[in-house]
């Protein structure tokens, strides 16, 4: 009985990672690369409201979770609500549709029919004097 | 001769057949192994390509599901792939946790060993899902070994069947080709085998130049040989006839020469009785002139004249009998034969101071051509006479004639003290025209004639050897002729 209980706990812990809506570890690596391409530095401070994304930032090697928007280098916008207090901070969206909602959003990473898509908007990068690394230039539009 | 019923392992046809078949068989074996390896590789390539295709298909669609932990879509996507060569498809995360397994034997969430990343496994294929060089997981395909083996066995069966059929056709092809190639030469051989002795042959034009040349050359040479043989047998017959004629003439001349010599002997033998007759007749005439005729003495004288004329008549008879040609064999004793021989040769021997010693210990009977036998023996006596005469070191010249039975066989032995015959020519003395004498003295036909008469006509044997013997306290060497009847 006791044995079964611990087994159930263990199974629960193993399956816990799949409770997130995306693969945290993979996402952290992708966002590492995306934001490095923008800022070309380590320990990039990221602000995000979403808990899953917070977890993702915490899993990352080069990203640091920022407690406030003001202190952050970039804000991850997961919904329109996140745009309310964005001020003039550089933002990055997780959906294509959010790109049109705010000009602070310099790009987006999203999934379209199971395929990953990345977009960087040239004018908005220029507005913030940001230059994308050469390997990511193909995503600039 | 080629044996048609049994396989002739040394025949051209068999060797051609075996050579062709071995080459074809080796080719079939080589092709079998090459095809088998190709099929093995093809099946493996098929698996690899299938994996690549599936990976390409999945990579385009599944990354998002993996990223977003959308297991339902992963399941439906993976389950939509059906292929007999694939046993299982697994999707694992970069750490080796199974996200989905088509076969339920592998539990979702359990660990899958990633040893395949470093170890080669021919029946396990994998691909990774990457984005921005970030590994999102692996697609692992476990090949259906059973299907793979079934496919290989099926290919093996097909290859075996193909090889068996090819071998059969190889045998057939080898047989047809070897028969075709060897046919012209076999036809030539059969034609030669079937042709009768001395039959002229002609071959039709052969398709293959080399065989045509061979056939025509064989035909020409054979026909030339037959022609030559025909002419040769005619020529041999002519030469034999010629030789026989010459030999006959030589025999005749030899006989005539002997006769001439005998006439000389007879004239010598006749001198004494003629002298006796003449003396008796002269005595009678003288007595008659002086009237001293005494009838008793006359009777005695007349008897003496009759005796002498009988002797003369006998001498004539002996000579006449000798020169008479008789083709009938007669029976006589050896002593009778030797008496005649002595009678005919006595004068010649006495004139040359040669003593003839005759020892008839066995007086056996012979059935033969008497005169020819005498002629044969005269030739031996003449040979001995010449030998003893040329052997000037000896003062007493002897010729011995003996008869005896040796091992139940009748033998007549004639030997002399003439010094013998040189060892290097002793085997040649019976050959025609062989003589050691001056050309004017000898024809070389005498002893050959003796050999012909004794061996060929009377089926007797004659041997010659050098013989050392003692006579009258003196040691002599001479030629010894042994005639075995």
């Amino acid at each position: 009985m006791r044995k079964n209980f611990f087994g159930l706990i263990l199974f629960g812990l193993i399956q816990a990672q799949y409770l997130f809506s995306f693969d945290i570890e993979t996402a952290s690596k992708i966002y590492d690369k995306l934001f490095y391409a923008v800022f070309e530095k380590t320990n990039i401070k990221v602000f995000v409201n979403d808990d899953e994304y917070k977890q993702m930032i915490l899993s990352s090697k080069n990203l640091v979770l920022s407690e406030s928007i003001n202190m952050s280098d970039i804000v991850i916008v997961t919904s329109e609500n996140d745009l309310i207090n964005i001020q003039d901070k550089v933002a990055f969206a997780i959906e294509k549709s959010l790109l049109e909602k705010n000009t602070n959003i310099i790009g987006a990473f999203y999934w379209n029919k199971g395929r990953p898509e990345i977009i960087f908007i040239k004018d908005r990068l220029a507005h913030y004097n940001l230059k994308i690394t050469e390997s990511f230039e193909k995503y600039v539009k | 001769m080629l044996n048609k019923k049994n396989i002739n392992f040394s025949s051209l046809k068999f060797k051609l057949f075996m050579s062709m078949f071995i080459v074809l068989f080796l080719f079939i074996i080589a092709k079998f192994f090459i095809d088998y390896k190709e099929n093995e590789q093809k099946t493996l390539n098929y698996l690899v390509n299938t994996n690549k295709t599936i990976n390409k298909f999945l990579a385009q669609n599944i990354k998002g599901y993996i990223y977003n932990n959308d297991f339902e879509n992963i399941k439906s996507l993976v389950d939509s792939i059906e292929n007999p060569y694939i046993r299982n498809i697994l999707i694992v995360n970069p750490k080796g946790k199974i996200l989905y397994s088509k076969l339920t034997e592998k539990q979702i969430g359990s660990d899958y060993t990633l040893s395949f990343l470093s170890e080669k496994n021919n029946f396990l294929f994998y691909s990774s899902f990457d984005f921005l060089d970030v590994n999102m997981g692996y697609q692992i395909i476990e090949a259906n070994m059973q299907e793979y083996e079934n496919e290989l066995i099926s290919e093996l069966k097909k290859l075996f069947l193909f090889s068996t059929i090819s071998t059969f056709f190889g045998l057939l092809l080898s047989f047809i080709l070897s028969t075709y190639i060897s046919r012209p030469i076999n036809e030539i051989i059969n034609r030669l085998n079937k042709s009768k002795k001395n039959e002229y042959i002609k071959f039709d034009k052969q398709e293959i130049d080399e065989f045509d040349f061979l056939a025509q050359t064989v035909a020409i040479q054979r026909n030339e040989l037959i022609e030559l043989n025909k002419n040769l047998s005619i020529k041999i017959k002519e030469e034999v006839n010629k030789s026989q004629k010459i030999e006959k003439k030589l025999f005749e001349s030899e006989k005539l020469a002997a006769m001439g010599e005998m006439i000389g002997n007879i004239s010598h033998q006749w001198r004494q009785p003629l002298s006796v007759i003449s003396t008796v007749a002269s005595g009678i005439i003288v007595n008659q002139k002086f009237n001293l005729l005494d009838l008793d003495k006359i009777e005695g004288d007349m008897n003496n004249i009759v005796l002498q004329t009988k002797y003369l008549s006998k001498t004539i008879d002996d000579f006449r009998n000798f020169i008479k040609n008789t083709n009938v064999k007669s029976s006589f004793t050896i002593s009778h034969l030797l008496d005649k021989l002595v009678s005919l040769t006595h004068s010649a021997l006495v004139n040359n101071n040669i003593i003839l010693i005759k020892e008839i210990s066995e007086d056996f009977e012979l059935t033969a051509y008497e005169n020819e036998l005498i002629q044969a023996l005269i030739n031996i006596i003449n040979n001995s006479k010449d030998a003893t005469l040329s052997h000037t070191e000896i003062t007493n010249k002897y010729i011995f004639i003996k008869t005896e039975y040796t091992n139940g066989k009748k033998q007549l032995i004639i030997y002399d003290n003439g010094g013998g015959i040189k060892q290097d020519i002793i085997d040649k003395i019976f050959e025609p025209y062989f003589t050691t004498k001056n050309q004017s003295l000898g024809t070389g036909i005498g002893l050959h004639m003796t050999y012909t008469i004794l061996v060929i006509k009377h089926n007797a044997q004659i041997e010659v050897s050098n013989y050392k013997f003692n006579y009258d306290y003196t040691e002599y060497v001479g030629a010894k002729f042994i005639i075995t009847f």
Side-chain angles (χ1 to χ4, degrees), chain A residues 57-111:
Chain A
I57 301 297
L58 290 171
S59 300
S60 165
K61 286 179 184 172
N62 294 317
L63 303 179
V64 179
L65 185 64
S66 177
E67 292 297 323
S68 67
I69 290 176
N70 292 335
M71 299 287 283
S72 67
D73 295 313
I74 192 164
V75 176
I76 295 175
V77 179
T78 58
S79 67
E80 281 188 47
N81 292 335
D82 294 339
L83 297 170
I84 298 166
N85 298 317
I86 199 166
Q87 298 167 21
D88 61 342
K89 277 291 169 185
V90 178
F92 192 83
I94 62 159
E95 283 175 20
K96 191 182 179 185
S97 59
L98 292 169
L99 280 171
E100 293 165 7
K101 305 289 180 186
N102 192 300
T103 54
N104 288 14
I105 300 169
I106 57 164
F109 168 60
Y110 57 94
W111 294 88

Side-chain angles (χ1 to χ4, degrees), chain A residues 19-30:
Chain A
L19 296 175
F20 296 105
S21 59
F22 60 90
D23 182 357
I24 299 291
E25 203 171 320
T26 306
S28 68
K29 286 177 186 170
I30 291 169

Side-chain angles (χ1 to χ4, degrees), chain A residues 14 17-18 20-23 25-27 29-31 33 109 111 114-116 118 136 139, chain B residues 60-61 63-64 66-69 71 93 95 97-99 108-109 131-136:
Chain A
I14 292 166
Q17 63 180 308
Y18 304 120
F20 296 105
S21 59
F22 60 90
D23 182 357
E25 203 171 320
T26 306
K29 286 177 186 170
I30 291 169
Y31 277 95
K33 287 182 179 278
F109 168 60
W111 294 88
R115 294 173 189 179
I118 296 170
F136 279 77
Y139 302 115
Chain B
Q60 283 176 347
N61 303 293
K63 281 178 192 169
I66 293 171
Y67 182 86
N68 293 306
N69 289 335
F71 301 114
N93 73 9
K95 287 183 177 172
K97 286 272 184 282
I98 297 173
L99 299 179
I108 296 167
F131 181 67
L132 297 180
D133 294 333
V134 175
N135 177 236
M136 297 169 76

Side-chain angles (χ1 to χ4, degrees), chain B residues 366-416:
Chain B
L366 294 172
T367 302
Y369 301 106
E370 188 183 344
N371 286 342
E372 289 196 6
L373 268 189
I374 292 169
Q375 178 67 62
L377 299 178
I378 284 172
N379 291 345
I380 296 174
I381 296 292
N382 282 341
N383 191 71
S384 292
K385 184 191 81 182
D386 294 340
T388 49
L389 288 176
S390 64
H391 197 47
T392 50
E393 297 95 67
I394 51 166
T395 41
N396 296 324
K397 303 176 195 307
Y398 299 109
I399 294 175
F400 298 86
I401 298 178
K402 287 182 178 179
T403 61
E404 60 185 37
Y405 269 110
T406 304
N407 297 329
K409 288 184 175 174
K410 303 164 188 173
Q411 285 193 328
L412 174 64
I413 300 158
I414 302 169
Y415 60 96
D416 58 59

